[in-house]
Amino acid sequence: MFDLDGVLVDSDASVVDAWTRWAVARDLDPAAVIDVCHGQPSRATVRVFVDPSDEAAALADIDRIELDLAGEASALPGARALLASLPPGAWGVFTSGTRALATARLAACGIAPPPVFITADDVANGKPNPDGYRLALARLGAAPASSVVIEDAPNGIAAARAAAIATVIGIGPRALGAPVDAVVDDLGAVAWDGGRLRVRGEARLA
């Protein structure tokens, strides 16, 4: 199972741009907002900074801005090749983004949404809550003990661990220091050998 942003899709620049615009419009510190926005649903970030009476409007604003910028996303190294090598029906995505946003970012990268595609619209409690990964496991018909999650952010890694996923692979610098089994630069360091995923040891970050 894959997270989307930071794992399959490079959307960091558009995420920073969108949340900066949103914060400036509300006289908030963009750096403070960006510091917490990765790896959790937009509604969770909005709730931190906005009065409850303004939450609905504020959430609609950030959803609109992010969707406007979704076309800027690009596939991260190794993503398309790894997905193409996996058996059909053996993998899924759980993202903190909305279905509309996640679908638009995948389209910008030339990646079709998998049959098991869990978004913020499908679960009441987003990452770090494990509900999304538990739902993905149920739809895949997979047991936690035989499953792998690939994540880039601490909230997602925490969600995978709370779902009792046997193996968690971290991607990039946000995963350093988190409770993962390996950290790699990108999916170019992960390969399917016909029976299991393998990580090239030399690609692990120190």
Side-chain angles (χ1 to χ4, degrees):
M1 291 177 287
F2 298 88
D3 179 33
L4 182 67
D5 301 291
V7 174
L8 299 176
V9 169
D10 183 0
S11 58
D12 273 9
S14 65
V15 168
V16 170
D17 189 4
W19 282 103
T20 297
R21 295 185 194 186
W22 181 87
V24 169
R26 284 170 171 73
D27 294 323
L28 298 169
D29 177 10
V33 174
I34 292 163
D35 188 52
V36 300
C37 72
H38 293 286
Q40 66 178 2
S42 296
R43 61 179 178 262
T45 302
V46 167
R47 196 170 294 132
V48 172
F49 296 97
V50 171
D51 186 89
S53 63
D54 189 38
E55 277 186 21
L59 182 58
D61 283 347
I62 187 59
D63 285 348
R64 173 184 53 77
I65 296 168
E66 287 207 293
L67 197 54
D68 285 346
L69 299 175
E72 297 179 5
S74 59
L76 282 163
R80 285 195 289 256
L82 177 59
L83 295 181
S85 73
L86 295 174
W91 63 279
V93 167
F94 171 35
T95 175
S96 293
T98 64
R99 182 167 295 270
L101 178 60
T103 301
R105 285 178 175 163
L106 283 173
C109 298
I111 299 173
V116 176
F117 186 35
I118 310 300
T119 73
D121 299 334
D122 301 306
V123 291
N125 301 302
K127 302 172 186 179
N129 186 282
D131 287 356
Y133 278 124
R134 288 173 176 161
L135 179 59
L137 282 172
R139 292 186 179 178
L140 285 168
S146 60
S147 298
V148 179
V149 162
I150 305 181
E151 275 276 4
D152 73 310
N155 277 342
I157 291 164
R161 287 304 187 196
I165 304 298
T167 303
V168 181
I169 299 172
I171 297 281
R174 283 194 289 265
L176 289 172
V180 295
D181 298 290
V183 179
V184 296
D185 290 310
D186 54 53
L187 291 176
V190 182
W192 175 253
D193 69 2
R196 65 178 60 193
L197 287 178
R198 296 195 179 277
V199 175
R200 299 186 185 94
E202 69 271 14
R204 295 182 186 182
L205 296 176

